[in-house]
Amino acid sequence: MRILVAEDEMKMARAIRRGLENEGYAVETVDTGDDAVFWATEQEFDAILLDVMLPGRDGYAVCRALRAAEVWTPVLMLTARGAVEDRIEGLDAGADDYLVKPFAFGELLARLRALLRRGPAERAPEIVVGDIVIDPAAHTVTRAGVRIELSPREFALLEFIAHRPGVVVRRSEILDHVWDYGYDGFSNVVDVYVGYLRKKLEKPFGSKVIRAVRGVGYVLEPPV
Ligand code: CA
């Protein structure tokens, strides 16, 4: 079982890591909200321990970002606050459970085990466009029943344009949603990734599904 721990207080982070590793968990630690979003969307974890008070994006924002990106990894929020409103905000943001600091490590373990038994909170429904089937929960794509291996970024791009098949999705929207608004890399990254997708999604099947609209963006169209 692999756990992502997002906690900016070094001592606390170290103690949690040590405690979890002693129990046989694999642990990755990050100390900012942005890093938490990055790791949790790029890699597979079985659960996330998420401190509310993090530099940059706080735990609530992290949780909302993950759920918006359809990352359903169970989240246990850690916080020094115990007010009912905070608890509600955490659960509204998509957290699965809530633990108030200071806590006994045994309680953290018990809550974590309960979350792991439950598995991902919600399973997003499959998206079907013609002979393409996208399963956001399992992160799998098939075309005509054939499994297609995509990188996480390629997957996110395909999933995003597949939400509105037949509708042109602007390049700027794709950049915002798939690369996040902080992205300041090269501007033709979308076109490059569409190229990658085409190689995997069109070439082997001999028919096009992604149409470029010059100067605007891309549209996913069911193959005819
Ligand atoms: Ca903190």
Side-chain angles (χ1 to χ4, degrees), residues 6-9 51-55 78 101:
E7 166 65 87
D8 60 313
E9 288 145 67
D51 187 33
V52 169
M53 301 302 283
L54 288 171
L78 306 177
K101 294 177 186 172

Side-chain angles (χ1 to χ4, degrees), residues 2-216:
R2 191 151 179 262
I3 314 293
L4 179 65
V5 177
E7 166 65 87
D8 60 313
E9 288 145 67
M10 288 272 282
K11 267 175 78 177
M12 176 66 94
R14 264 203 302 267
I16 292 175
R17 171 194 275 275
R18 207 176 313 123
L20 291 178
E21 284 177 348
N22 285 342
E23 295 294 316
Y25 294 104
V27 181
E28 205 64 63
T29 53
V30 293
D31 58 6
T32 68
D34 287 345
D35 282 352
V37 172
F38 177 81
W39 279 86
T41 47
E42 291 290 315
Q43 297 204 4
E44 291 282 334
F45 291 93
D46 297 291
I48 302 169
L49 300 186
L50 182 59
D51 187 33
V52 169
M53 301 302 283
L54 288 171
R57 278 195 250 199
D58 68 11
Y60 304 129
V62 169
C63 208
R64 277 192 294 270
L66 292 181
R67 297 319 187 211
E70 301 192 25
V71 173
W72 305 111
T73 313
V75 170
L76 175 58
M77 295 272 239
L78 306 177
T79 183
R81 307 173 183 182
V84 175
E85 299 74 40
D86 291 334
R87 190 188 150 87
I88 291 169
E89 189 174 353
L91 297 174
D92 277 349
D96 299 278
D97 201 1
Y98 200 93
L99 190 57
V100 177
K101 294 177 186 172
F103 49 80
F105 197 73
E107 184 175 8
L108 184 146
L109 285 178
R111 301 273 189 109
L112 186 59
R113 279 195 296 267
L115 280 190
L116 291 170
R117 272 197 301 273
R118 211 155 43 162
E122 263 177 74
R123 197 181 168 91
E126 285 183 348
I127 304 165
V128 180
V129 182
D131 58 356
I132 300 168
V133 179
I134 302 162
D135 184 341
H139 259 246
T140 56
V141 177
T142 59
R143 181 162 182 197
V146 179
R147 175 81 175 263
I148 298 166
E149 296 299 332
L150 298 181
S151 74
R153 192 71 76 180
E154 291 162 359
F155 185 88
L157 170 61
L158 175 63
E159 191 190 8
F160 188 66
I161 60 173
H163 275 300
R164 285 177 288 164
V167 176
V168 182
V169 185
R170 293 182 170 279
R171 202 188 262 99
S172 58
E173 277 180 85
I174 297 173
L175 264 182
D176 280 356
H177 284 85
V178 180
W179 275 268
D180 212 347
Y181 44 70
Y183 185 79
D184 54 1
F186 58 112
S187 62
N188 68 336
V189 67
V190 174
D191 312 281
V192 171
Y193 271 81
V194 166
Y196 295 158
L197 268 185
R198 284 182 160 153
K199 225 173 260 170
K200 296 177 177 180
L201 207 60
E202 296 182 339
K203 254 200 174 157
F205 302 92
S207 77
K208 299 207 162 184
V209 286
I210 302 171
R211 183 165 59 85
V213 180
R214 252 184 114 86
V216 185

